[in-house]
Amino acid sequence: MLPTVLAGFGLGLSLIVAIGAQNLFVLRQGIRRERVVAVALVCALSDAVLIAVGVSGIGAILHAVPWLIDAVRWAGALFLGGYGLLAARRALRPAHAALQVSDEGPRDAERAPRLAPIVLTCLALTWLNPHVYLDTVFLLGSVANTHGADRWWFAAGAAAASVLWFFSLALGARHLGRRLATPRSWRIVDGVIAVVMIALAVSLVWPR
């Protein structure tokens, strides 16, 4: 049992740590200390659901419906492209002078940001990304099923890796807040986010 859990943990962690739209969003929210726990929880629970889908065998059904993956791919490309353009706009024309860091956490407005838009953005970055399905549903699901009766232990290990990674990234990023509490720093952060998001959007629809 333990070797199976560790195998799932290792594979899950190796797939999730790559720089991507979801990780960049979690990092940004963590640095700004805005709805950090909610964002990490949404990402971790989404991964757990997708892993369960793959282990249950539904991934094989999804693989037989290629148009569904294509639909998600184009929707994801449009969303990532739009998000990237918004980040580029923030980099070129920042709406706020800087983050104001205090002991309670950074604030860039008079009131805390609303939860719903942040959660919806997080869900979109997760569920409209075809790479998430390839990694969790198809790849992790396929490898998990090679473990036979222990496949759910493998899935538990992979889900634990997601929980550890997202909460570590979100809660650990807050320590970067003071270093990024300048207009120039945040323009650079948003510029990097814009480049990565737009590059990911193009990669989703670029002919292979």
Side-chain angles (χ1 to χ4, degrees):
M1 181 186 75
L2 183 58
T4 303
V5 172
L6 292 177
F9 184 90
L11 180 58
L13 194 61
S14 67
L15 292 173
I16 204 171
V17 297
I19 295 299
Q22 188 186 48
N23 282 341
L24 281 177
F25 181 75
V26 175
L27 182 65
R28 189 176 193 275
Q29 294 304 119
I31 292 172
R32 299 175 71 89
R33 303 185 193 181
E34 294 176 351
R35 308 295 186 177
V36 176
V37 174
V39 168
L41 190 60
V42 167
C43 291
L45 288 177
S46 295
D47 268 12
V49 171
L50 289 167
I51 292 168
V53 167
V55 174
S56 67
I58 299 178
I61 299 176
L62 293 177
H63 193 66
V65 190
W67 66 264
L68 183 60
I69 299 298
D70 287 338
V72 172
R73 181 164 58 89
W74 280 97
L78 290 173
F79 181 81
L80 291 175
Y83 192 91
L85 291 176
L86 289 176
R89 182 182 179 184
R90 288 196 305 266
L92 295 173
R93 300 173 60 185
H96 305 287
L99 282 177
Q100 295 181 0
V101 182
S102 67
D103 292 336
E104 291 76 22
R107 293 289 182 270
D108 62 343
E110 292 298 323
R111 58 186 177 87
R114 293 176 57 201
L115 177 62
I118 292 176
V119 169
L120 289 175
T121 300
C122 187
L123 286 171
L125 287 171
T126 302
W127 291 86
L128 291 179
N129 182 1
H131 294 299
V132 171
Y133 295 91
L134 294 174
D135 289 345
T136 56
V137 176
F138 299 132
L139 180 55
L140 276 171
S142 298
V143 176
N145 280 291
T146 65
H147 289 266
D150 289 335
R151 65 186 182 278
W152 289 107
W153 288 112
F154 184 94
S162 292
V163 172
L164 176 65
W165 171 254
F166 285 121
F167 276 91
S168 297
L169 182 63
L171 298 175
R174 67 177 58 193
H175 299 296
L176 297 175
R178 293 188 182 279
R179 297 186 180 183
L180 295 175
T182 65
R184 183 173 180 272
S185 296
W186 270 99
R187 295 183 72 174
I188 292 173
V189 170
D190 282 325
V192 170
I193 290 174
V195 170
V196 173
M197 296 291 185
I198 293 173
L200 287 172
V202 172
S203 72
L204 289 178
V205 297
W206 191 264
R208 292 175 174 80

